[in-house]
Amino acid sequence: MRKHTLPTLLAAGLATAAFTASSQALAYGAGDFFTRFGVAKVSPKSDNGSLAGGALAVDVEDDTRFAFTLGYRFHDKLGVELLAAEPFKHDIKLGGENLASTKHLPPTLTLQYYPLGGTQAYVQPYVGVGVNYTRFSSEESALGDLDLDSSWGAAGQLGVDLLINDNWALNASAWYIDLETDASLGGADIGTVKIDPWVIMGGLSYRF
């Protein structure tokens, strides 16, 4: 069973960070452009549904890749951020056997709120809501020609920057994505795969 301890710890850290401030760092605020980059893990939920009228239970495996974001703060407490990454590749178990795989790109755009924006806090938590578009490619299956439809879904985000200096910070962030895809095999519809992953990223943040 998969355990999502990191999102839980991240949420707890954000609650603590909201009460933490310092008087030394240059204030985060309106007009800041930034990028965040590091290693991201896509961890689908444990039960991904079934295909072929319930005959094949689906289990989509985790994958870890390089990811980055680009963002802009148009207000001290509000900004937008786009998540991008190199293609993730997931093995797919069907009926308990590794019978399929796919690659996907998960660009996600969020509107973010920074409770300590405009202050000189060394700890800058944020939350976001937005939309995800996932495009699947390179589907492979031992059962035949597998095709997974592209998906649109809502996304939620938690994150925190721990300032090192005026430009650099350590970053931890997590997205929860509402992600479902209709599957077909040999041109025939066989059901829906419910992926609904957590995307967990750790790395660095740089603001311009």
Side-chain angles (χ1 to χ4, degrees):
M1 179 181 294
R2 298 187 181 93
K3 296 181 179 180
H4 301 301
T5 56
L6 184 53
T8 302
L9 292 175
L10 181 58
L14 291 178
T16 302
F19 297 97
T20 306
S22 172
S23 61
Q24 300 301 316
L26 180 67
Y28 265 26
D32 286 347
F33 287 91
F34 59 88
T35 181
R36 295 173 174 129
F37 52 92
V39 176
K41 179 179 181 179
V42 175
S43 183
K45 69 174 188 174
S46 57
D47 180 6
N48 305 126
S50 60
L51 299 176
L56 295 173
V58 182
D59 185 13
V60 182
E61 299 294 299
D62 300 349
D63 191 35
T64 302
R65 302 283 171 170
F66 172 78
F68 65 95
T69 73
L70 295 173
Y72 176 68
R73 298 275 289 277
F74 56 86
H75 184 277
D76 281 347
K77 296 185 181 297
L78 296 173
V80 291
E81 184 178 35
L82 177 65
L83 168 67
E86 62 178 325
F88 292 90
K89 182 177 181 179
H90 299 275
D91 292 329
I92 303 174
K93 290 183 178 180
L94 300 173
E97 299 184 35
N98 284 320
L99 296 178
S101 65
T102 186
K103 292 182 179 180
H104 84 277
L105 288 171
T108 303
L109 181 66
T110 53
L111 173 67
Q112 300 169 314
Y113 172 68
Y114 293 80
L116 300 182
T119 73
Q120 295 176 326
Y122 270 108
V123 180
Q124 289 284 339
Y126 55 91
V127 296
V129 293
V131 62
N132 165 264
Y133 171 73
T134 296
R135 179 181 179 274
F136 296 93
S137 64
S138 303
E139 297 99 322
E140 297 180 357
S141 172
L143 302 178
D145 185 15
L146 176 67
D147 183 70
L148 300 175
D149 290 347
S150 297
S151 167
W152 289 90
Q157 182 187 23
L158 295 171
V160 62
D161 281 331
L162 306 177
L163 275 63
I164 299 171
N165 57 35
D166 287 347
N167 298 104
W168 291 95
L170 298 175
N171 175 260
S173 51
W175 294 257
Y176 179 76
I177 298 173
D178 177 21
L179 199 173
E180 296 185 0
T181 177
D182 292 329
S184 61
L185 191 66
D189 293 339
I190 57 173
T192 299
V193 181
K194 300 177 181 180
I195 302 175
D196 296 343
W198 280 98
V199 180
I200 311 297
M201 187 173 82
L204 294 172
S205 174
Y206 181 82
R207 60 172 171 161
F208 302 91

